[in-house]
Amino acid sequence: MDPIPGINVSVPPSGPGCVECAQLEGWWYHLRRCAECGHIGCCDSSPGQHATLHQQQTGHPVIRSFEPGEDWFWNYADSSVFAGPELAPPAHHPNSQSVPGPADRVPPGWQELLH
């Protein structure tokens, strides 16, 4: 199989949660993984929308869900969902991690804070 632009199968994820939310002591709804560099950011429903911000800052065109049971990819360039190759493990955040998370930083009424 030819390499897909914007996907590096050998790069592991940056960690178990959104990089920016962790730095800001924020919280996220769902997580997305940059398929090029492994950066973990929060989804567009999350308050921070850090996965899309990462794409805007870097130009990295493809993300993959970092949620258990989800293996879809998203291409920002053409707004398409597609099946892609296996990436370096782990494929998702720990099963023990709450959604939304992290549990100790999710505010009451969090549903009303989603985009």
Side-chain angles (χ1 to χ4, degrees):
M1 176 184 227
D2 290 333
I4 300 172
I7 297 179
N8 183 338
V9 298
S10 65
V11 177
S14 60
C18 177
V19 172
E20 291 81 6
C21 287
Q23 291 170 345
L24 300 169
E25 296 188 8
W27 63 278
W28 55 80
Y29 183 46
H30 288 143
L31 296 171
R32 307 296 179 233
R33 172 182 179 172
C34 176
E36 189 163 330
C37 73
H39 174 273
I40 300 299
C42 55
C43 71
D44 284 351
S45 294
S46 300
Q49 302 177 336
H50 291 119
T52 295
L53 181 63
H54 174 77
Q55 187 281 323
Q56 292 168 347
Q57 292 174 338
T58 64
H60 296 169
V62 178
I63 58 172
R64 184 183 179 277
S65 176
F66 200 57
E67 293 296 316
E70 296 182 358
D71 61 1
W72 53 264
F73 287 77
W74 172 262
N75 186 329
Y76 283 101
D78 62 10
S79 299
S80 65
V81 175
F82 65 97
E86 288 294 318
L87 300 179
H92 55 77
H93 64 74
N95 286 323
S96 61
Q97 187 170 296
S98 68
V99 176
D104 63 337
R105 295 198 308 250
V106 178
W110 62 267
Q111 297 92 333
E112 295 180 20
L113 300 172
L114 297 178
H115 292 269

